[in-house]
Amino acid sequence: MHNDLKKAYLKKGKEQAILRRHPWVFSGAIHEIEVVEEGDLVEVIDSRGNFLAIGMVGDGSILVRIISFDKVNINRDFWKEKISVARALRSRLNLKLESNTNSYRLIHGEGDGLPGLIIDIYGEHAVVQAHTFGMHKIRMEIAEALKSEFGNALKTVYYKSKSALH
């Protein structure tokens, strides 16, 4: 899928933040962006034509929110892996369903490499909030990835984003 992505080209010298793994590309760092719509995926390219990251296009001063610093296919397996990694981290922190609580934040936006996405687990239920249009657009893929990761341990996925989106 990444071969079909539009490109966002950075101004010379503006790649340093991304090389340090900062998850945002501000509009002032963009030299040129191919025609895209809000929520579309783009490859972020430095001024020399080198790939830096894949992100979702926003509408404001944060023009691109990075979801991968690697050139990967953004598909169902990608979302499941992100959720699996976040779940494993919560397990290591003893914030899992089998511990002393049945409620925890599974996905916390940029901290889990998914800017604009919040997922809370309440026992057998997941509550998903998209704070960007890009995450809103892929909400069904996120729900499928949650079901795949949790199996029968997850009874419902509730999408609670209408008030969070502009």
Side-chain angles (χ1 to χ4, degrees):
M1 181 173 177
H2 60 77
N3 294 333
D4 299 338
L5 296 181
K6 302 287 185 165
K7 311 280 191 278
Y9 298 94
L10 298 183
K11 294 176 181 174
K12 186 176 182 180
K14 295 296 183 178
E15 68 280 349
Q16 290 306 313
I18 294 175
L19 292 173
R20 289 190 306 270
R21 304 274 185 176
H22 192 280
W24 297 345
V25 179
F26 292 96
S27 58
I30 301 287
H31 169 68
E32 178 185 352
I33 189 166
E34 294 177 354
V35 178
V36 292
E37 294 181 13
E38 183 181 1
D40 285 352
L41 292 171
V42 294
E43 286 187 0
V44 179
I45 308 296
D46 71 12
S47 62
R48 295 181 307 274
N50 299 310
F51 170 88
L52 295 172
I54 297 172
M56 290 181 166
V57 175
D59 72 336
S61 63
I62 304 171
L63 195 55
V64 179
R65 295 173 192 265
I66 304 299
I67 60 170
S68 179
F69 293 97
D70 299 313
K71 198 168 196 172
V72 297
N73 289 322
I74 308 300
N75 56 26
R76 181 180 178 181
D77 291 337
F78 174 83
W79 303 115
K80 185 178 181 309
E81 176 67 16
K82 288 280 196 175
I83 288 169
S84 181
V85 166
R87 186 179 187 198
L89 174 62
R90 273 54 176 188
S91 182
R92 285 193 307 275
L93 296 172
N94 200 29
L95 298 173
K96 58 182 180 157
L97 292 175
E98 298 81 18
S99 75
N100 59 358
T101 183
N102 69 352
S103 301
Y104 60 98
R105 179 148 289 171
L106 175 66
I107 300 291
H108 196 185
E110 285 84 352
D112 289 301
L114 295 171
L117 183 65
I118 302 292
I119 301 175
D120 292 318
I121 301 294
Y122 299 100
E124 301 173 326
H125 314 284
V127 177
V128 177
Q129 268 190 289
H131 291 273
T132 64
F133 190 68
M135 287 299 175
H136 170 73
K137 281 176 60 173
I138 57 120
R139 65 193 178 279
M140 297 310 291
E141 292 177 52
I142 296 296
E144 288 301 318
L146 281 165
K147 289 186 226 174
S148 177
E149 172 65 22
F150 283 86
N152 291 334
L154 190 63
K155 302 296 182 209
T156 60
V157 177
Y158 178 74
Y159 185 66
K160 180 189 175 232
S161 294
K162 196 171 191 176
S163 64
L165 293 171
H166 50 273

